[in-house]
Amino acid sequence: MTKQTSDNAAADSEAAKAYWRANIRLLLGLLVVWFAVSFGAGILFADVLNDFTFIGFPLGFWFAQQGSIYVFVILIFVYTRKMKAIERRYGVDERDEGDDTGDVT
Amino acid sequence: MSTQLLTYLTVGFSFVLYIGIAVWSRAGSTKDFYVAGGGVHPIANGMATAADWMSAASFISMAGIIAFAGYDGSVYLMGWTGGYVLLALLLAPYLRKFGQYTVPDFIGERYYSGTARVVAVVCLIAISFTYIAGQMRGVGVVFSHFLNIPITMGVLVGMAVVFFYAVLGGMKGITYTQVAQYCVLIFAYMTPAIFISMLITGNPVPQAGLGSEVLDGSGLTVLEKLDATLLDLGFTAYTLPSKSMIDIFAITLALMVGTAGLPHVIVRFFTVPKVSDARVSAGYALVFIALLYTTAPAVGAFARINFIETVNGSTYAQSEDQGGTPQFFKTFEDIGLIGWVDKNSDGIVQYGPGAPFDGRAEYTGERGQSGERLLTNNPTANHNEVNVDRDIMVLANPEIAKLPGWVIALVAAGGIAAALSTAAGLLLVISSSISHDLLKKTFMPDITDKMELLAARGAAVLAIAVAGYLGINPPGFVAQVVALAFGLAASSLFPAILMGIFMKHMNREGAIAGMVSGLLFTVSYIAYFKSDWFGAVNTAEHWMLGISPEGIGSIGMVINFVVAMTVARFTKATPASVQALVDDIRIPAGAGSAQKH
């Protein structure tokens, strides 16, 4: 099984719970954006948005074929960065681990 | 130097490069073989994931599909990129923390059940073989088009190359080879795209060129011109949907979720050193993928404009220099990818909506009045005279735009790189799930690391042989069932993994019932409409809720969730040890490297 490194289990578990809640909040926020740019702007409301022109594109069409992809990339990097901060805040990050704990058989 | 010779040299050189890398990064242990030793840098892993992901379908077919489907082609663009957001946010970091070798590993441990593991292996093998047959075929098509050798020969050469570096190098060999393959394929894709964008709009960035004005003095943008031209010829507008909104929604969702659930993509995130690396690595992968995916719509639109302008209204008997039908049209006609029926016998090519004739093109072997290849098919009543295979758009692009020979050679090497890299990644997940999940974890738990490595290599050889056979003798439905791979992944693996991480109380019974019902529903729906065993008519009015077989995976996924949650409510709770495992997966600290146990 996975290694038994969960030291100070009791003290850690509160922090772990708070960490998990913060993670879920962040996830949900980002997924709302994910849904809004692709399914929202690119599909459900593409029709309405196509009345606007953006850098030579009908806006809905732009979201469907270009914009949503750019936003997806940004979302992942925002997530990566915010998670680092959250992990540090709740003391569950990997930083003091050294390079590699090696194989535990 | 002739284009042919240049192509041989370029492709040959790329093969030497891949094999050289494989020899240098040979796998010495099962850990090297399964997860490249767990020490791949996130950027390198991002590139390898991108090459692994972008198959012959992305490289060759996607721009062609978009060229002819316009807005409807967006489902592939959003579907095949949006999945990476789900992967980075919901799956990759936790699976990396779990720290084992395969997707069935996770499902088997998390649901404390050998049955669940075997169900996962079955899903994995079905998904991967569906996918790989298409890749081998892609290799064959590229070989036969650019190097003038039979498709069978092409498939055999492709098998030999993949055999060498996948069997020898395992995941380690594959990963570093894929980094090289990404560089080859992206360079090969971007070069003609930039040239063509400059020719048509004067803007060297294809993504921006798509929104720029055409250089013909009309003052219209590329999209305005396409819309106008297509409406003029009787097509629907390029920028507007022709499928129903619910179907577009369902297909996009099924492709996104399916992407996140594909085992050969997920396993890439087992190879990085840390949990945070898994997240950032998914980000880099998407950057590298987005480069091609945001270029594809531009390539498609430019190709469609070029195609209509050069072909429609041209006189077939005249040569290209005299202002007649372009040479590429005749070249592709010769290999059967274009067909022309001169319905009104005026010697002029007329292009419009609808199929020009019934069924698949069958040539008589004789030439007509203008010198065209005659067809045996019955012409249809509409005025369209041209039948064109969508796959030629990317391959013919350099020829259509009259680019130099080295660009054509490059596209050949890029297409082969795209197909080989994906095939290798798929072979690896098939062989690891056989040697690791079936042998080591299910049937022969006592084998040593060395024997397991040998078994993994043996399984890879076997998988290559099957894939090659499928590539040479493709079952008629292969092209039809690519949807199946995504539908299966969306309706079986993705929900099981997601609930395993985010729902502590999801138990063995629930997960297995969910996977099986999602899977059965999706497979039956696709088989019902896509095979000819049931005599079903595959049109919108017969579909459930108006959702096509391509999009049904999203309903399969909902069924999986609902069944799993209902069953879990009425069966025994998850044991405490497994709940502790879930707690551990959720916390990044203490990831270590991917481990055996």
Side-chain angles (χ1 to χ4, degrees):
Chain A
M1 264 324 309
T2 348
K3 286 163 294 143
Q4 308 300 313
T5 42
S6 330
D7 25 11
N8 319 325
D12 274 3
S13 87
E14 272 317 300
K17 271 189 191 141
Y19 160 77
W20 189 246
R21 275 196 300 273
N23 176 25
I24 298 284
R25 260 199 310 278
L26 175 61
L27 274 183
L28 290 178
L30 294 175
L31 287 177
V32 167
V33 179
W34 165 81
F35 186 86
V37 293
S38 51
F39 294 99
I43 300 177
L44 297 174
F45 300 105
D47 209 20
V48 186
L49 293 177
N50 277 342
D51 292 340
F52 303 91
T53 306
F54 175 67
I55 55 169
F57 292 83
L59 189 55
F61 182 85
W62 182 79
F63 266 109
Q65 300 213 336
Q66 302 273 308
S68 57
I69 303 177
Y70 300 133
V71 177
F72 293 156
V73 171
I74 296 168
L75 283 179
I76 298 185
F77 284 102
V78 167
Y79 176 65
T80 307
R81 180 167 278 216
K82 292 218 160 175
M83 277 310 274
K84 279 220 157 135
I86 291 179
E87 281 164 14
R88 218 164 291 139
R89 188 173 336 136
Y90 295 101
V92 293
D93 56 336
E94 305 165 283
R95 112 199 97 154
D96 41 18
E97 251 191 89
D99 260 350
D100 192 338
T101 44
D103 280 18
V104 177
T105 307
Chain B
M1 218 183 314
S2 76
T3 304
Q4 180 94 343
L5 183 61
L6 255 174
T7 310
Y8 271 107
L9 286 176
T10 313
V11 172
F13 174 76
S14 69
F15 281 4
V16 172
L17 179 71
Y18 307 152
I19 291 175
I21 292 173
V23 171
W24 164 74
S25 57
R26 215 166 49 243
S29 66
T30 47
K31 190 174 164 193
D32 279 350
F33 195 91
Y34 293 141
V35 293
V40 180
H41 189 274
I43 293 186
N45 190 52
M47 268 193 204
T49 310
D52 203 332
W53 171 244
M54 291 190 288
S55 58
S58 296
F59 190 92
I60 300 172
S61 309
M62 195 167 63
I65 292 176
I66 296 167
F68 290 97
Y71 169 84
D72 286 354
S74 314
V75 296
Y76 301 104
L77 295 166
M78 289 187 284
W80 287 343
T81 53
Y84 279 83
V85 177
L86 300 178
L87 202 55
L89 270 56
L90 302 176
L91 308 183
Y94 309 105
L95 291 174
R96 175 60 196 84
K97 174 65 198 295
F98 174 67
Q100 297 213 358
Y101 294 149
T102 67
V103 171
D105 255 341
F106 175 77
I107 296 196
E109 294 276 340
R110 166 61 182 82
Y111 295 115
Y112 44 100
S113 154
T115 314
R117 183 192 288 268
V118 174
V119 171
V121 171
V122 170
C123 298
L124 180 147
I125 289 179
I127 293 167
S128 304
F129 268 121
T130 317
Y131 224 90
I132 206 168
Q135 300 308 315
M136 283 321 214
R137 192 71 186 163
V139 174
V141 169
V142 174
F143 268 105
S144 66
H145 172 63
F146 288 104
L147 301 172
N148 274 329
I149 57 176
I151 290 192
T152 309
M153 242 342 256
V155 173
L156 290 176
V157 174
M159 280 167 65
V161 174
V162 173
F163 171 83
F164 201 83
Y165 68 76
V167 173
L168 198 68
M171 190 57 147
K172 203 171 161 197
I174 286 177
T175 302
Y176 291 108
T177 317
Q178 280 169 337
V179 172
Q181 282 163 335
Y182 177 77
C183 299
V184 172
L185 84 84
I186 200 68
F187 187 60
Y189 203 82
M190 297 307 292
T191 306
I194 291 169
F195 269 118
I196 294 169
S197 183
M198 288 186 63
L199 282 176
I200 293 190
T201 66
N203 193 330
V205 183
Q207 286 83 347
L210 184 55
S212 306
E213 282 181 18
V214 186
L215 287 179
D216 60 359
S218 63
L220 296 174
T221 65
V222 173
L223 292 169
E224 284 165 353
K225 178 163 175 166
L226 253 179
D227 276 351
T229 317
L230 289 175
L231 287 171
D232 211 32
L233 290 173
F235 289 96
T236 50
Y238 189 81
T239 53
L240 297 177
S242 63
K243 289 183 172 147
S244 72
M245 189 186 281
I246 185 167
D247 198 24
I248 290 183
F249 191 99
I251 297 177
T252 307
L253 183 62
L255 292 177
M256 280 192 188
V257 176
T259 300
L262 284 181
H264 73 283
V265 176
I266 294 178
V267 75
R268 305 249 33 135
F269 299 96
F270 290 72
T271 63
V272 292
K274 291 191 298 181
V275 173
S276 56
D277 291 337
R279 291 186 204 120
V280 79
S281 183
Y284 285 121
L286 189 56
V287 169
F288 295 127
I289 292 168
L291 195 53
L292 190 145
Y293 275 49
T294 52
T295 306
V299 171
F302 297 151
R304 188 80 184 273
I305 288 189
N306 264 336
F307 183 81
I308 295 174
E309 289 202 330
T310 57
V311 169
N312 187 42
S314 65
T315 307
Y316 189 92
Q318 285 177 350
S319 77
E320 189 164 357
D321 302 332
Q322 299 166 302
T325 304
Q327 188 51 45
F328 81 85
F329 189 89
K330 296 164 186 170
T331 316
F332 279 101
E333 188 188 8
D334 284 340
I335 59 171
L337 295 177
I338 282 183
W340 176 52
V341 225
D342 193 5
K343 288 180 182 169
N344 50 7
S345 307
D346 62 354
I348 296 173
V349 182
Q350 269 104 16
Y351 176 59
F357 44 72
D358 297 326
R360 284 176 60 91
E362 301 279 353
Y363 299 89
T364 60
E366 286 164 27
R367 296 272 170 178
Q369 267 182 331
S370 305
E372 81 276 20
R373 294 181 75 187
L374 290 176
L375 294 131
T376 59
N377 308 60
N378 285 327
T380 47
N382 63 41
H383 69 274
N384 177 31
E385 304 181 336
V386 184
N387 175 49
V388 46
D389 188 310
R390 299 190 291 197
D391 283 354
I392 69 170
M393 282 327 211
V394 167
L395 300 180
N397 235 342
E399 293 163 58
I400 298 177
K402 302 192 188 64
L403 299 179
W406 62 268
V407 179
I408 297 171
L410 200 58
V411 171
I416 292 173
L420 287 183
S421 55
T422 307
L426 288 160
L427 283 170
L428 195 93
V429 297
I430 294 173
S431 65
S432 12
S433 68
I434 293 174
S435 63
H436 184 72
D437 292 305
L438 287 186
L439 284 183
K440 173 86 178 173
K441 295 287 179 152
T442 311
F443 297 116
M444 300 166 67
D446 302 329
I447 55 173
T448 62
D449 191 60
K450 221 172 171 178
M451 282 165 68
E452 193 187 336
L453 184 59
L454 192 69
R457 290 197 160 121
V461 172
L462 197 74
I464 291 176
V466 175
Y469 176 81
L470 290 173
I472 295 169
N473 307 299
F477 56 88
V478 160
Q480 315 261 340
V481 294
V482 184
L484 187 63
F486 287 93
L488 285 181
S491 62
S492 61
L493 296 179
F494 178 83
I497 301 172
L498 188 74
M499 290 186 291
I501 297 163
F502 289 88
M503 298 174 67
K504 237 188 246 185
H505 65 272
M506 181 47 62
N507 62 8
R508 171 178 62 198
E509 290 79 4
I512 296 176
M515 276 196 284
V516 171
S517 50
L519 192 69
L520 282 180
F521 169 78
T522 308
V523 172
S524 329
Y525 191 86
I526 294 176
Y528 181 72
F529 283 110
K530 287 284 194 175
S531 69
D532 20 83
W533 305 326
F534 305 98
V537 188
N538 189 17
T539 52
E541 60 265 33
H542 297 93
W543 295 335
M544 195 179 100
L545 304 170
I547 295 174
S548 61
E550 284 77 16
I552 203 65
S554 41
I555 303 292
M557 171 187 77
V558 174
I559 291 180
N560 183 330
F561 280 126
V562 171
V563 169
M565 287 178 205
T566 315
V567 171
R569 174 157 297 196
F570 297 106
T571 41
K572 260 208 324 234
T574 322
S577 65
V578 173
Q579 303 221 12
L581 168 71
V582 178
D583 279 331
D584 190 60
I585 289 171
R586 290 178 175 184
I587 304 291
S593 56
Q595 52 195 283
K596 46 186 174 275
H597 49 163

